[in-house]
Amino acid sequence: MRIVVPAGGIGGARFLRGLKAALGTGSPTTGEHSTDSAITVIGNTGDDITLFGLRICPDLDTVMYTLGGGIDEERGWGRADESFTVKEELAAYGMRPTWFGLGDRDTATHIVRAQMLATGYPLSAVTEALCDRWKPGVRLIPMTDDQVETHVVVDEGEGPRALHFQEWWIRHRAALPAQQIVSVGAESSAPAPGVLKAIAEADAVILPPSNPVVSVGSVLGVPGIRDAMAAKTVVGVSPIIGGAPVRGMADACLAALGVETDAGAVAEHLGADLLDGWLVDEADAGTRAAGIEVRSRPLYMNGPAATEALARAAVDLAVELSEAKG
Ligand code: FO1
């Protein structure tokens, strides 16, 4: 089976580990596919930020490290066995910002990326080069090679101002009410090479339990991607269980859009023209979303077996709905 997955950070990357196991793809050593199945990940680049002359792509790196075996499991982002000496030295020089967790090992990734971008390589080529080392066992393509950044409009009393998503997310823990979440540059961006072809050739699209606004939402916001996906069988996994996000702060993002933090409301926000199926946790059994086939099952990815079973259930629902579509 050929599956396309628009993915964001930690939840999406962990789900992809289960999907690889469920489809038997991408051996951890060679990255070779042991079956004729293949996974293409369309990575969110809206979280990307330029700091200290480096281009940092958190969601691309989280997928690459998580599937390539380099991730810090406890944090869910950045490298295992990490140190932060460069960060401390930058602070000693009075460099700002100091709130971003720039790891030493991670910095090598940002330097390679900055150097290749400066040479003129598009982000998709840079990502391919970095994945040559990590062998994530999936094809990882950024949603676009154009610059798209998620900014958050907040008002702390002196009038509205836009923060980069990372500052809102890391420095302010998304605690400043977001009046608006803007994907700067999205309207003039184009899907990266290979994105639309991968979607067209896919047997199904699966939306992992990533943040529906700033991760999956950002990918869908690149002109052409949402329509291409809507033509396929699409099954999503709710990132909300029992009225709360499993991890991260999707509720703060949903509030900015006036969407309730509820499994059914997120499905309706994504839209019945896009979603054919939606998996919700047993806590949300009975959830209904017009025009969408909702099924309930355990959603917590508390270990490899549970994650593989969840991914398997998403694939099985996609096959069932594809056959029903005929
Ligand atoms: N998340 C944090 O909460 N604190 C950090 O200091 C931090 C640093 C960081 C560095 C590199 C990277 O790839 C990700 C990093 N993240 C950090 C996660 C990042 O904010 C992601 O964008 C979110 O996890 C949302 O996907």
Side-chain angles (χ1 to χ4, degrees):
M1 277 194 83
R2 287 159 304 186
I3 306 281
V4 162
V5 180
I10 300 163
R14 291 198 166 145
F15 176 82
L16 282 162
R17 255 198 306 225
L19 186 61
K20 276 177 65 180
L23 295 180
T25 62
S27 87
T29 45
T30 64
E32 290 308 309
H33 292 302
S34 56
T35 69
D36 60 357
S37 290
I39 302 168
T40 299
V41 179
I42 300 174
N44 168 44
T45 59
D47 284 10
D48 297 2
I49 185 168
T50 297
L51 290 174
F52 317 119
L54 303 173
R55 189 68 181 159
I56 295 159
C57 302
D59 281 356
L60 295 178
D61 292 348
T62 295
V63 170
M64 183 174 74
Y65 291 154
T66 300
L67 301 186
I71 198 76
D72 179 283
E73 287 292 347
E74 194 267 325
R75 285 196 303 266
W77 53 264
R79 287 290 309 282
D81 309 321
E82 187 57 287
S83 53
F84 295 89
T85 307
V86 170
K87 179 178 185 297
E88 288 153 18
E89 290 300 307
L90 286 166
Y93 278 112
M95 288 289 277
R96 295 273 179 278
T98 55
W99 44 261
F100 189 81
L102 181 73
D104 297 330
R105 291 178 187 274
D106 201 24
T107 298
T109 301
H110 310 322
I111 292 171
V112 170
R113 184 180 291 120
Q115 180 161 312
M116 287 186 73
L117 289 172
T119 309
Y121 289 97
L123 182 59
S124 46
V126 176
T127 305
E128 206 171 328
L130 294 170
C131 285
D132 276 350
R133 171 187 174 188
W134 289 102
K135 304 206 181 321
V138 301
R139 185 175 173 213
L140 176 58
I141 317 178
M143 66 191 197
T144 177
D145 280 337
D146 302 315
Q147 178 151 330
V148 174
E149 282 191 1
T150 303
H151 287 210
V152 181
V153 177
V154 298
D155 186 339
E156 295 166 271
E158 299 95 44
R161 69 189 182 100
L163 294 179
H164 188 287
F165 170 76
Q166 293 298 341
E167 180 169 5
W168 180 68
W169 187 263
I170 298 173
R171 185 179 188 190
H172 297 289
R173 308 308 306 159
L176 299 179
Q179 293 186 346
Q180 211 185 344
I181 294 181
V182 186
S183 207
V184 178
E187 66 289 338
S188 55
S189 69
V195 164
L196 295 182
K197 186 169 182 294
I199 296 169
E201 293 172 355
D203 295 301
V205 173
I206 294 181
L207 308 188
S210 288
N211 187 309
V213 178
V214 294
S215 293
V216 172
S218 293
V219 176
L220 296 174
V222 174
I225 290 184
R226 192 184 195 286
D227 290 346
M229 288 188 172
K232 312 302 290 190
T233 298
V234 180
V235 168
V237 178
S238 176
I240 305 295
I241 296 181
V246 177
R247 181 177 176 133
M249 299 163 273
D251 45 346
C253 303
L254 289 164
L257 275 61
V259 177
E260 248 188 280
T261 301
D262 164 78
V266 171
E268 287 174 349
H269 167 65
L270 288 168
D273 59 321
L274 174 72
L275 273 184
D276 296 289
W278 186 243
L279 292 181
V280 300
D281 190 78
E282 288 160 332
D284 299 303
T287 294
R288 313 212 44 75
I292 300 169
E293 178 64 28
V294 180
R295 300 282 172 83
S296 65
R297 67 169 322 279
L299 287 199
Y300 283 107
M301 300 188 282
N302 43 23
T307 308
E308 179 178 348
L310 172 60
R312 180 79 260 164
V315 171
D316 289 348
L317 181 54
V319 168
E320 180 192 329
L321 296 176
S322 289
E323 283 160 5
K325 260 181 166 178

